[in-house]
């Protein structure tokens, strides 16, 4: 325990003797009953058995001493014993507790052993709740410090911690006369102090503490009917109850950070309270709370800011009318990584779609928010004497100002001073448009694994005319057909007749059905022609499409049938690999040196959610047995399963649709290609000996499909660059001729070797890898890295970086 123990007032010798008098006999008496009970010491049900009923007939003093004896047992044993219910049962009823009993219990708990079951806190919490305020007065500093410690304790069992915090908090409030409960919105996170500071007067109003206390009592995602009746009674009895509910929830939306589990439980009750309000404003707030609760820190995408609140809010939002719920849930379906929240979002969207006669895929498409932007992705509004424009530029949203048609730099001072509310609303709109752009990019790229077709008018309205989705759809290659058998490929083009599809020759292609083009369905000549066209026209596709890697079944995979070993036996830098998996939409348990932490299975839904790919990987233990940090993982099999109702059926790789197979394998290739230790040029100098053979073999090994596509892109890009006469492509390397020497850059790892001795050359790239040359896509960091290194080495006589010069001198 912490410093709170030092704040306890001391007991006199006489007081200690009075508390401890008769404890050995009481201990023996309780143990005799426990030995007869099934599950002795280890079962919470021990107090519900018939053997325990005899305790109820004991005199109150015997029960008091028995509770004190079991408290000492729970706090001082070297082995944890599940005595929570035993102590609680003994302490039930009106027992003659004293201030000395509480001080003694706190001293025993503070100086004894701490176990996660929290049994050592049960009796101090019960006694504190029973004593009169006058007996607690000089204990307030110690109890307050204990509360602060408990709210920060991440290891104590949640139920035991909440019970202790609630009872001790109530005791402190009675002793201090505090109106608002100290255990509600406590200091365990930044949210509690923020709300108490900003909404202090509102929270202390008549009925508000009781309303919030009741909201925090909900312990299930779905509120029972009895609890809802109690909620309605308290809302009616609280003047301004609706304002209290909305005020706390608005503060949570603005907080944008993770909250303590206790705050999460309070917020869950509050969203149920909000659901009792039928107006559109409540629906809008509920949608924003759902998004805020389901959001997660960038480095912990599977851990929402308030998971309990998110789960409940999704259910409540799906029951509301209008378009707002569909739009909010559709965004979450693409962005949420937590399995519990994700499954509920999917179920909610399926239910909403069924009511409207839509499939899940149609729900996601039709629910994309246009944020009031016109077809060109702009929204213009007047702010004082200025014209403000929110517009989509590339794949980002931005806010600009103009006066009398002349564009201005930044936000005018007058707008900041006199139109603060309007400026805040515009900036909030930019954030919301930006969030929709991110989720739409993920959704549209996910369509590459689906066998979807659209009627021509639906395709135009959903992918070309839409101000957000259109920024992606207009830069992608599509196919159209009149009969569903013969498909012709082209790019969207807008002319006097509206949107058409133009082929490679510029001619208009006709058809009544449209689908997204994927190179796995195209011939080699068609793929190469589109790559040439994309580069020649300067088209920047939102993600790799024309240059997308293709992964076809190999004879080895046909032989293994149930799995692919194509990317097995690689060593990856684990933290980077895990982060990249999450970015690409894979869900995986974190590896660690605990039971069940040595193996992990990353999974991703493909083919519109009908298929699941699994990528198995294992922890690579360190050579030092005392070092438990997870630095590396080894790769293993990729497997597939088909959805069968609520279950998944393992499926042979030969039966997996080509679109699903190639998209899954592309991701796994990306994990290996980006995070393998073979991509680290400094490994030879500081890496572990046991991995040297793998590093040397992979760093200059045969190219994977992603590296093959990279080679083709380089073959088209290099002739356009000023270093064209100094570079030469071979099967695996880009050879660069500088003034001082010549170099080879591996097309898979981007590692550099000097000629003729093949010594590794470590180069740390600048942030702007590729300079000003047009790249047809932006999701291949290795391509940019190779170009950056090639430009530097072609002018090696101008290098000023000391670390590179020292290596060249050697």
């Amino acid at each position: 325990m912490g410093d709170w123990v030092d704040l306890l007032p001391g007991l006199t010798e006489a007081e200690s003797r009075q508390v401890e008098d008769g404890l050995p006999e009481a201990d023996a008496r309780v143990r005799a009953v426990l030995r007869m009970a099934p599950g002795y010491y280890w079962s919470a049900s021990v107090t519900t058995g018939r053997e325990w009923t005899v305790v109820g007939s004991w005199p109150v003093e015997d029960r008091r001493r028995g509770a004190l004896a079991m408290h000492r047992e729970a706090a001082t044993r070297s082995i944890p014993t599940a005595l929570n219910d035993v102590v609680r049962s003994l302490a039930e009823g009106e027992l003659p507790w004293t201030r000395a009993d509480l001080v003694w219990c706190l001293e025993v708990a503070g100086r004894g052993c701490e176990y996660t079951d929290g049994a050592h806190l049960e009796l101090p919490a019960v006694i504190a709740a029973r004593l009169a305020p006058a007996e607690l007065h000089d204990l307030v500093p110690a109890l307050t410090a204990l509360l602060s410690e408990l709210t920060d304790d991440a290891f104590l069992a949640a139920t035991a911690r909440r019970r202790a915090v609630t009872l001790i908090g109530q005791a402190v409030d009675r002793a201090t006369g505090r109106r608002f409960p100290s255990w509600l919105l406590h200091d365990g996170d930044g949210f509690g102090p923020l709300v108490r500071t900003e909404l202090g007067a509102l929270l202390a109003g008549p009925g508000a503490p009781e309303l919030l206390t009741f909201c925090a009592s909900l312990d299930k995602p779905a509120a029972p009917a009895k609890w809802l009746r109690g909620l309605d009674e308290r809302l009616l009895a609280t003047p301004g109850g609706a304002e209290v509910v909305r005020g706390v929830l608005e503060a949570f939306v603005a907080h944008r950070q993770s909250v303590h589990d206790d705050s999460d439980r309070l917020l869950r009750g509050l969203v149920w309270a909000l659901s009792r309000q039928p107006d559109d404003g409540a629906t809008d707030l509920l949608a924003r709370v759902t998004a805020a609760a389901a959001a997660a820190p960038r480095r912990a995408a599977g851990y929402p800011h308030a998971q309990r609140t998110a789960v409940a809010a999704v259910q409540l939002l799906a029951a509301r009318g209008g378009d707002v719920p569909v739009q909010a849930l559709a965004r979450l379906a693409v962005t949420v990584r937590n399995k519990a929240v994700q499954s509920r979002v999917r179920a909610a969207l399926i239910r909403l779609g069924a009511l409207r006669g839509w499939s899940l895929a149609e729900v996601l498409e039709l629910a994309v928010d246009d944020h009031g932007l016109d077809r060109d992705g702009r929204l213009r509004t007047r702010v004082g004497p200025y014209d403000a424009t929110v517009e989509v530029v590339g794949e980002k949203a931005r806010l600009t100002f103009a006066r009398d048609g002349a564009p201005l730099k930044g936000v005018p001072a007058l707008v900041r001073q006199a139109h603060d509310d309007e400026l805040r609303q515009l900036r909030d709109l930019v954030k919301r448009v930006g969030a929709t752009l991110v989720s739409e990019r993920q959704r549209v790229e996910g369509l590459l694994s689906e066998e979807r077709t659209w009627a021509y008018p639906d395709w135009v309205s959903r992918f070309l005319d839409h101000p957000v989705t259109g920024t992606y759809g207009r830069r992608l290659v599509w196919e159209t057909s009149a009969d569903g058998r013969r498909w012709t490929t082209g790019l969207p083009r807008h002319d006097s007749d509206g949107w058409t599809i133009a082929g490679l020759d510029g001619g208009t292609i006709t058809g009544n059905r449209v689908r997204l083009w994927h190179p796995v369905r195209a011939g080699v000549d068609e793929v190469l022609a589109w790559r040439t066209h994309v580069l020649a026209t300067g088209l920047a596709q939102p993600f790799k499409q024309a240059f997308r890697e293709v992964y076809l079944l190999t004879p080895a995979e046909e032989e293994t049938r149930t799995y692919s070993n194509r990317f097995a036996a690689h060593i990856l830098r684990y933290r980077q690999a895990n982060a990249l998996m999450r970015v690409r939409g894979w869900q995986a348990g974190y590896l660690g040196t605990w039971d069940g932490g040595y193996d992990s299975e990353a999974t991703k839904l493909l083919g519109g959610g009908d298929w699941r790919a699994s990528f198995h990987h294992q922890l690579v233990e360190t050579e030092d047995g005392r070092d438990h940090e997870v630095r590396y993982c080894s790769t293993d099999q990729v497997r597939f399963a088909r959805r069968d109702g609520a279950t998944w059926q393992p499926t042979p790789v030969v039966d997996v649709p080509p679109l699903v197979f190639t998209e899954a394998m592309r991701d796994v290739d990306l994990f290996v290609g980006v995070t393998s230790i073979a991509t680290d040029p400094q490994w030879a100098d500081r890496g572990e000996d046991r991995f040297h053979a793998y590093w040397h073999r992979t760093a200059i090994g045969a190219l994977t499909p992603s590296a093959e596509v990279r080679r083709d892109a380089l073959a088209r890009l290099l002739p356009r660059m000023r270093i064209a006469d100094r570079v030469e492509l071979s099967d695996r390397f880009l050879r660069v001729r500088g003034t001082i020497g010549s170099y080879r850059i591996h097309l898979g790892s981007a590692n550099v070797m000097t000629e003729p001795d093949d010594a590794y050359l470590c180069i740390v790239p600048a942030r702007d890898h590729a300079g000003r040359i047009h790249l047809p896509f932006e999701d291949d960091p290795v391509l940019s890295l190779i170009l950056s290194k090639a430009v530097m080495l072609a002018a090696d006589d101008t290098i000023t970086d000391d670390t590179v010069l020292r290596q060249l001198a050697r």
Side-chain angles (χ1 to χ4, degrees):
M1 284 288 179
D3 296 338
W4 64 268
V5 179
D6 298 329
L7 300 175
L8 288 171
L11 290 178
T12 65
E13 188 175 340
E15 287 175 324
S16 296
R17 281 200 306 269
Q18 182 181 10
V19 174
E20 296 175 357
D21 180 46
L23 293 194
E25 295 79 7
D27 184 274
R29 191 175 186 185
V30 175
R31 288 177 188 272
V33 177
L34 288 174
R35 289 193 182 96
M36 293 186 295
Y40 169 50
Y41 276 69
W42 299 104
S43 173
S45 64
V46 66
T47 59
T48 60
R50 61 181 180 81
E51 295 85 0
W52 187 257
T53 56
V54 66
V55 174
S57 63
W58 289 1
V60 292
E61 187 59 33
D62 288 355
R63 292 176 57 195
R64 170 187 164 275
R65 289 173 177 159
L68 291 169
M70 289 299 99
H71 169 69
R72 182 165 60 183
E73 168 77 5
T76 59
R77 284 274 294 184
S78 60
I79 301 175
T81 52
L83 292 173
N84 305 61
D85 286 1
V86 170
V87 174
R88 187 182 308 175
S89 178
L90 287 165
E92 282 180 351
E94 295 298 324
L95 303 187
W97 298 114
T98 67
R99 172 186 171 280
D101 291 338
L102 177 56
V103 174
W104 182 87
C105 286
L106 289 170
E107 286 182 345
V108 170
R111 306 193 189 283
C113 300
E114 298 177 48
Y115 298 114
T116 58
D117 59 19
H120 60 293
L121 297 170
E122 178 65 36
L123 192 56
V126 169
I127 297 176
R130 305 279 174 80
L131 294 182
E135 295 181 280
L136 295 168
H137 184 71
D138 65 337
L139 295 176
V140 168
L143 293 176
T144 302
L146 172 57
L147 277 177
S148 180
E149 180 177 302
L150 291 177
T151 56
D152 288 335
D153 194 327
F155 299 99
L156 197 62
T159 301
R161 183 193 58 74
R162 281 196 307 276
R163 176 173 166 81
V165 167
T166 302
L167 293 177
I168 295 173
Q170 290 172 348
V172 170
D173 295 340
R174 286 188 291 107
T176 58
R178 184 177 298 161
R179 169 78 177 131
F180 189 77
S182 57
W183 57 273
L184 270 181
L185 297 169
H186 53 62
D187 294 342
D189 56 20
F191 177 64
L194 173 71
V195 175
R196 292 201 309 271
T197 300
E198 295 185 352
L199 304 176
L202 185 64
L203 299 181
E210 292 76 14
L211 172 61
L212 293 176
T213 299
F214 186 81
C215 287
S217 70
L218 180 61
D219 57 2
K220 297 178 181 178
K226 181 179 179 181
W227 188 90
L228 288 174
R229 287 194 296 271
L231 173 64
D232 291 337
E233 291 172 2
R234 283 162 178 81
L235 285 170
L236 286 173
T238 305
E243 288 73 17
V244 172
V245 172
R246 295 195 187 208
V248 177
L249 291 177
E250 287 283 8
F252 170 67
V253 172
H255 185 56
R256 298 178 181 274
Q257 295 181 34
S258 297
V259 298
H260 193 282
D261 183 64
D262 294 344
S263 298
D264 192 4
R265 290 172 177 272
L266 170 61
L267 291 167
R268 177 173 62 185
L270 287 171
V271 295
W272 276 96
L274 181 65
S275 73
R276 314 303 277 179
Q277 303 175 28
D279 58 284
D280 292 341
T283 302
D284 177 71
L285 177 55
L286 183 58
R288 290 186 286 120
V289 170
T290 307
R298 182 171 299 178
R299 295 187 177 181
Y303 299 90
H305 288 159
Q307 180 172 331
R308 299 178 191 278
T309 303
V311 168
V314 166
Q315 172 186 344
L316 293 170
L317 187 61
R320 312 286 286 198
D323 294 334
V324 170
V326 183
Q327 293 170 348
L329 292 171
R331 284 195 294 272
L332 292 179
V334 181
T335 57
V336 168
R337 295 288 177 262
N338 178 271
K339 288 185 178 181
V341 179
Q342 191 181 65
S343 63
R344 285 166 173 80
V345 170
R346 178 184 174 86
L349 285 173
I350 291 174
R351 188 165 63 253
L352 286 172
L355 293 174
R356 293 165 169 80
W358 302 339
S359 67
L360 175 60
E362 286 180 305
V363 172
L364 296 177
E365 287 172 2
L366 293 169
V368 181
D369 197 344
D370 63 12
H371 300 286
L373 306 179
D374 61 22
R375 193 184 68 181
D376 296 325
R378 294 188 183 90
L379 174 66
R380 295 183 176 89
T381 186
R382 192 76 175 171
V383 180
Y386 304 98
D387 294 312
T389 303
V390 174
E391 62 180 334
V392 175
V393 180
E395 296 183 28
K396 294 184 178 180
R398 71 177 185 181
L399 171 63
T400 59
F401 287 87
R403 185 165 189 173
D404 299 329
L408 304 175
K409 291 183 178 180
V411 180
L414 179 61
V415 173
R416 289 196 185 95
Q417 296 165 2
H419 302 277
D420 184 59
D421 287 343
E422 292 157 280
L423 178 60
R424 184 165 52 251
Q425 292 173 14
L426 288 170
R427 283 176 168 168
D428 181 64
L429 176 60
V430 169
K431 290 180 181 178
R432 288 186 282 115
V433 173
T436 304
L437 282 165
V438 170
S439 62
E440 271 302 271
R441 185 190 186 282
Q442 295 172 345
R443 186 187 70 83
V444 174
E445 187 176 12
L447 294 174
L448 287 167
S449 71
E450 297 185 42
E451 288 284 359
R452 290 280 309 282
T453 64
W454 294 266
Y456 199 93
D458 291 340
W459 170 69
V460 169
S461 64
R462 299 178 192 180
F463 291 96
L464 303 182
D465 282 340
H466 195 283
V468 177
T469 313
T471 194
Y472 304 116
R474 299 168 202 144
R475 294 181 286 149
L476 293 172
V477 181
W478 299 84
E479 294 179 278
T480 186
S481 173
D483 57 11
R485 295 191 301 273
R486 292 182 298 274
W487 294 85
T488 310
T489 310
L491 280 166
R493 181 176 65 193
H494 196 268
D495 52 30
S496 58
D497 296 328
W499 285 106
T500 59
I501 296 180
L504 284 168
D505 59 0
T508 299
I509 304 169
T510 58
N512 54 24
R513 301 295 298 179
V514 180
R515 70 182 185 185
L516 188 58
W517 180 80
H518 196 298
V520 78
R521 288 191 296 230
V524 174
D525 291 341
E526 182 181 349
V527 173
L528 296 178
W530 277 112
R531 290 179 181 178
T532 300
H533 182 81
V534 166
L535 280 174
T537 58
L539 176 65
Q541 296 200 284
F543 44 77
K544 277 187 180 181
Q545 188 193 28
F547 284 86
R548 203 168 190 84
E549 303 85 353
V550 170
Y551 300 80
L552 303 176
L553 276 176
T554 64
E557 288 160 344
E558 292 175 350
E559 186 174 337
T560 57
R561 284 186 54 77
T562 58
Y563 60 87
S564 168
N565 264 338
R566 189 182 306 196
F567 296 107
H570 285 275
I571 306 297
L572 310 185
R573 298 186 296 273
Y574 179 62
R575 288 191 178 184
Q576 293 93 324
N578 183 265
L580 186 55
M581 290 177 202
R582 296 183 185 280
V583 167
R584 294 296 302 166
W586 294 69
Q587 297 177 334
Y590 207 80
L591 294 174
T593 54
W594 50 75
D595 186 24
Y598 289 82
D599 301 275
S600 183
E601 176 187 8
T603 61
K604 181 177 181 178
L605 299 185
L606 298 157
D610 292 331
W611 289 87
R612 185 182 70 184
S614 303
F615 172 44
H616 297 259
H617 51 288
Q618 293 84 35
L619 178 149
V620 175
E621 295 188 71
T622 60
E623 293 181 311
D624 183 356
R626 297 168 297 179
D627 183 2
H628 300 294
E629 183 178 353
V630 182
R631 294 184 177 86
Y632 310 110
C633 69
S634 61
T635 62
D636 205 336
Q637 300 171 355
V638 177
R639 292 176 175 266
F640 294 87
R642 186 202 303 265
R643 186 186 292 275
D644 183 9
T647 63
W648 293 97
Q649 296 300 323
T651 305
V653 291
V654 294
D655 295 333
V656 177
L659 290 176
V660 172
F661 184 83
T662 188
E663 287 301 300
M665 299 303 283
R666 178 181 184 270
D667 274 356
V668 178
D669 189 1
L670 178 67
F671 306 152
V672 173
V674 173
T675 69
S676 168
I677 62 172
T679 62
D680 182 357
Q682 301 181 72
W683 184 266
D685 295 329
R686 59 163 173 73
E688 298 181 34
D689 290 341
R690 56 183 173 147
F691 298 141
H692 270 184
Y694 165 77
W695 184 84
H696 281 288
R697 181 175 67 251
T698 309
I700 58 174
L703 302 185
T704 63
S706 61
E708 292 283 3
V709 170
R710 192 175 302 129
R711 186 187 184 284
D712 183 56
L714 285 167
R716 300 166 186 275
L717 290 168
L718 290 171
R720 303 165 179 264
M721 298 179 68
R722 67 177 185 271
I723 61 170
D725 61 339
R726 288 181 169 266
V727 295
E728 177 186 351
L729 267 178
S730 65
D731 56 344
R732 287 182 292 164
F733 295 91
L734 173 63
R735 186 175 183 273
V736 182
R737 178 173 53 83
T739 301
I740 298 174
S742 296
Y743 316 89
R744 290 190 301 155
I745 307 175
H746 190 257
L747 303 181
S749 65
N751 285 335
V752 180
M753 293 176 290
T754 60
E755 293 185 344
D757 57 350
D758 285 347
Y760 284 93
L761 181 64
C762 177
I763 299 176
V764 179
R767 181 167 295 182
D768 185 10
H769 297 318
R772 295 185 177 180
I773 188 167
H774 161 68
L775 296 179
F777 45 81
E778 297 181 357
D779 50 356
D780 186 355
V782 179
L783 174 62
S784 299
L785 186 57
I786 290 172
L787 289 172
S788 172
K789 291 181 177 181
V791 170
M792 171 185 277
L793 294 173
D796 56 2
D797 57 330
T798 65
I799 293 175
T800 58
D801 189 307
D802 288 340
T803 58
V804 178
L805 291 174
R806 283 197 298 270
Q807 294 176 78
L808 292 177
R810 287 200 303 267

